[in-house]
């Protein structure tokens, strides 16, 4: 199977996979948002025949990511690699299950039964433990009263102050860990099971040796004995039995393209070319977003199609926009800047001396550190547009570049070019 399809292009491969009831169109996949892409995969590979809890959780995680971060597949994959081992499905409290929790999260909570299977080191000095070190007694302190240095075991070798710092840190760590034990051992309402190592008789370094010392103090410790029980482990029956509602189980995952339901997205571009709305911010943003991804003439169709599929602009508006921008790309005074092989930065942030962020729409870099500045506008010409381009030029000059052209392009049904 692999040998048959490995050398074929994606389009023909997926076309032939239809005989296995796999319906997937990679061409559509390129232009649709991330969440919609994943639903397309689910439908195409028939993963929605059962409402799998893990699949639903995965969709929720993707939706959350796209709302908080971006629509980028690559960024999501990087995020997933970092988070996938830590993410988990929240199970219902009504089910008979074991809840795994950290001691910190268990603060203030109670459970009928608690199992504590850990060893807590009472004096676990971390490698990143830091402390302020007083330098007033040193002849050469380079003008510093204190240093913030590592407070691990080696600090004891620096003298009395180092020993005091180390001992103080140990006491703080001991107190923190005893507090953790207190929280862990007081969450249970009826039964508490503690699993621990016997440890040594020389010192008390962890929670197991701490418990062993406690049993020795009571005169109950026996070397051969492994299980110690206190109290009555019988469950206390509740007078009123709680009514447990059976969870609603979904038979299958319902997923269908929104286009199949004749849904249209209400875009603010309905009056896109109305004279009264030439200064519309939404239109200006769309033009800038489209041109951000247009490095050469060939990029225009792909960039516009992306925003059509995302529902930002309608197909009718897309036709008008493409027609107008195509005039820009083939304009005799501009077409040389949109050829293949040019070194181009679009929407690249520049930090000036006053820590103000400047974002030129397009910079074409030529030989000998020469640069052409191009800025797109969608409203009426204004003096501030000139001032903005001049500011870009001044910053680039301080960076060592020579500005040979500063061009303002006013985009409407026709293209107007102003050399600043």
């Amino acid at each position: 199977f692999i040998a048959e399809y490995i050398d074929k292009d994606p389009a023909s491969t997926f076309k032939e996979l239809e005989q296995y009831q796999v319906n997937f169109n990679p061409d559509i996949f390129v232009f649709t948002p991330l969440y919609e892409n994943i639903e397309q995969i689910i439908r195409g590979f028939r993963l929605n025949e059962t409402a799998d809890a893990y699949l639903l959780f995965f969709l929720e995680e993707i939706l959350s990511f796209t709302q908080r971060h971006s629509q980028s597949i690559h960024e999501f994959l990087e995020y997933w690699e970092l988070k996938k081992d830590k993410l988990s499905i929240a199970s219902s409290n009504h089910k008979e299950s074991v809840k795994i929790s950290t001691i910190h999260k268990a603060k203030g909570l109670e459970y009928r039964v608690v199992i504590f299977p850990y060893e807590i080191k009472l004096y676990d000095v971390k490698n990143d433990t830091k402390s302020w070190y007083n330098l007033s007694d040193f002849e050469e302190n380079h003008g510093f009263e204190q240093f913030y240095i590592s407070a691990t075991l080696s600090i004891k070798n620096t003298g009395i102050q180092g020993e005091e710092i180390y001992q103080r840190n140990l006491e703080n760590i001991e107190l923190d860990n005893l507090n953790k034990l207190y929280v862990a051992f007081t969450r249970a309402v009826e039964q508490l099971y503690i699993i621990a190592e016997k440890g040594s008789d020389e010192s008390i370094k962890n929670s197991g040796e701490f418990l062993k010392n406690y049993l020795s103090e009571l005169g109950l410790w026996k070397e051969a004995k492994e299980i110690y029980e206190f109290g009555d482990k019988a469950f206390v029956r509740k007078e009123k039995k709680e009514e447990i509602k059976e969870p609603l189980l979904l038979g299958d995952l319902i997923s269908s393209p929104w286009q199949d339901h004749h849904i249209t997205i209400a875009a603010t571009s309905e009056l896109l070319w109305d004279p009264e709305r030439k200064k519309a911010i939404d239109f200006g943003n769309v033009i800038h977003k489209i041109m951000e991804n247009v490095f050469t003439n060939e990029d225009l169709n792909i960039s516009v199609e992306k925003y059509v599929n995302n529902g930002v602009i309608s197909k009718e508006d897309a036709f008008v926009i493409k027609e107008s921008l195509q005039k820009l790309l083939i304009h005799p005074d501009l077409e040389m800047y949109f050829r293949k092989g040019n070194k181009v930065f679009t929407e690249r942030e520049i930090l000036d001396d006053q820590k103000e962020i400047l974002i030129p729409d397009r910079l074409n870099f030529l030989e000998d550190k020469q640069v052409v500045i191009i800025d797109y506008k969608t409203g009426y010409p204004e003096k501030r547009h000139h001032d903005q381009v001049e500011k870009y030029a001044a910053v680039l000059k301080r960076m060592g570049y020579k500005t040979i052209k500063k061009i303002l392009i006013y985009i409407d049904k026709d293209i107007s070019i102003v050399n600043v």
Side-chain angles (χ1 to χ4, degrees):
F1 182 88
I2 294 173
E4 182 181 353
Y5 290 105
I6 194 168
D7 294 324
K8 294 185 178 180
D9 63 275
S12 60
T13 296
F14 285 109
K15 185 65 178 173
E16 292 189 29
L17 288 179
E18 290 178 4
Q19 62 183 305
Y20 302 103
Q21 287 75 53
V22 172
N23 296 289
F24 181 79
N25 187 341
D27 294 330
I28 296 176
F29 188 88
V30 175
F31 298 110
T32 49
L34 177 59
Y35 183 88
E36 203 170 321
N37 282 339
I38 303 305
E39 281 220 8
Q40 184 189 343
I41 291 173
I42 290 170
R43 292 191 299 270
F45 290 88
R46 296 184 299 141
L47 302 178
N48 59 329
E49 292 181 349
T50 59
D52 185 275
Y54 295 97
L55 189 60
L56 288 167
F57 174 82
F58 184 64
L59 285 171
E60 288 178 8
E61 195 64 28
I62 290 170
L63 181 61
S64 176
F65 177 85
T66 56
Q67 290 173 335
R68 289 182 286 114
H69 300 287
S70 76
Q71 295 282 350
S72 167
I73 294 173
H74 299 293
E75 288 183 28
F76 176 75
L77 290 175
E78 290 176 2
Y79 164 83
W80 185 256
E81 284 300 314
L82 291 172
K83 295 286 187 179
K84 64 181 181 181
D85 294 328
K86 299 175 184 177
L87 297 171
S88 60
I89 295 176
S91 60
S92 170
N93 291 330
H94 295 303
K95 291 184 177 180
E96 294 182 0
S97 59
V98 175
K99 182 173 183 178
I100 300 174
S101 173
T102 62
I103 297 173
H104 178 74
K105 287 185 178 179
K107 284 183 179 179
L109 302 177
E110 61 179 30
Y111 308 90
R112 293 186 71 187
V113 178
V114 171
I115 302 173
F116 183 74
Y118 304 107
E119 284 282 10
I120 290 183
K121 294 180 180 179
L122 299 181
Y123 307 101
D124 188 17
V125 181
K126 305 292 184 183
N127 291 330
D128 59 351
T129 302
K130 304 282 186 180
S131 184
W132 288 104
Y133 197 95
N134 193 339
L135 300 178
S136 58
D137 296 335
F138 289 79
E139 293 182 6
E140 294 185 13
N141 57 18
H142 303 282
F144 291 95
E145 295 180 0
Q146 292 180 319
F147 270 175
Y148 193 59
I149 63 172
S150 173
T152 53
L153 184 61
S154 58
I155 199 174
K156 292 177 67 177
N157 300 326
T158 64
I160 295 175
Q161 184 183 177
E163 291 181 2
E164 290 176 349
I165 290 173
Y166 185 76
Q167 187 59 38
R168 186 167 62 249
N169 283 339
L170 277 186
E171 291 171 358
N172 290 334
I173 291 168
E174 179 189 43
L175 181 60
D176 287 343
N177 288 325
L178 286 175
N179 281 332
K180 282 183 186 176
L181 284 179
Y182 169 78
V183 172
F185 292 170
T186 55
R187 298 308 93 202
V189 176
E190 298 186 16
Q191 295 184 9
L192 170 65
Y193 294 86
I194 304 171
I195 302 169
E197 296 283 343
K198 288 185 177 180
S200 66
D201 297 320
E202 299 175 2
S203 59
I204 302 174
K205 295 181 180 179
N206 55 50
S207 54
E209 292 169 347
F210 179 82
L211 294 169
K212 179 180 176 181
N213 181 264
Y214 167 73
L215 292 170
S216 297
E217 290 283 332
L218 295 178
L220 301 174
W221 176 256
K222 294 180 182 178
E223 196 64 38
K225 189 175 181 180
E226 295 185 341
I227 299 174
Y228 296 83
E229 295 184 46
F230 299 89
D232 183 3
K233 69 177 182 179
F235 283 113
V236 178
R237 292 189 175 275
K238 295 185 178 181
E239 294 181 5
K240 185 178 180 181
K241 188 176 181 180
E242 292 182 358
E243 182 182 351
I244 301 176
K245 295 182 179 179
E246 287 295 324
L248 177 64
L249 299 176
L250 296 176
D252 54 3
L253 173 61
I254 300 171
S255 174
S256 59
W258 59 269
Q259 294 90 341
D260 291 353
H261 302 282
H262 306 290
I263 296 172
T264 57
I265 296 175
T268 56
S269 55
E270 292 175 3
L271 302 175
L272 205 57
W273 296 107
D274 189 298
E276 299 300 319
R277 300 192 60 186
K278 282 187 177 180
K279 294 184 179 181
I281 294 174
D282 289 343
F283 172 51
N285 288 341
V286 168
I287 292 295
H288 279 83
K289 283 294 182 183
I290 290 172
M291 291 304 295
E292 181 181 354
N293 298 306
V294 176
F295 295 92
T296 67
N297 199 326
E298 290 80 3
D299 299 326
L300 179 61
N301 286 338
I302 295 175
S303 187
V304 172
E305 194 69 27
K306 174 183 175 183
Y307 288 97
V308 172
N309 285 297
N310 285 349
V312 178
I313 56 177
S314 67
K315 289 184 178 180
E316 292 76 14
D317 293 335
F319 176 80
V320 179
I321 290 173
K322 275 200 291 188
E323 188 177 39
S324 182
L325 293 180
Q326 191 63 49
K327 293 177 184 177
L328 183 160
L329 298 177
I330 64 173
H331 194 286
D333 294 335
L334 299 174
E335 62 86 18
M336 73 283 293
Y337 302 122
F338 295 92
R339 295 173 185 168
K340 287 185 178 179
N342 288 336
K343 182 180 179 182
V344 178
F345 286 163
T346 62
E347 301 287 339
R348 186 66 60 94
E349 293 183 354
I350 303 174
L351 190 67
D352 70 3
D353 300 341
Q354 286 74 44
K355 297 184 179 180
E356 179 185 357
I357 296 176
L358 306 176
I359 310 177
D361 292 338
R362 184 183 183 93
L363 298 175
N364 277 55
F365 291 90
L366 311 177
E367 294 179 355
D368 300 323
K369 302 203 78 172
Q370 294 181 330
V371 62
V372 176
I373 302 172
I374 299 175
D375 226 43
Y376 311 114
K377 301 299 177 186
T378 53
Y380 296 110
E382 296 181 37
K383 182 181 179 299
R384 62 186 179 90
H385 298 160
H386 289 246
D387 296 339
Q388 186 180 39
V389 174
E390 291 289 6
K391 184 182 286 189
Y392 296 155
V395 172
L396 287 165
K397 184 177 180 180
R398 289 198 293 273
M399 294 169 64
Y401 292 98
K402 292 176 282 187
T403 306
I404 60 170
K405 279 197 176 181
K406 296 166 281 186
I407 303 172
L408 279 169
I409 303 174
Y410 289 91
I411 302 170
D412 203 329
K413 289 183 178 179
D414 295 314
I415 300 298
S416 175
I417 301 171
V418 177
N419 288 298
V420 179

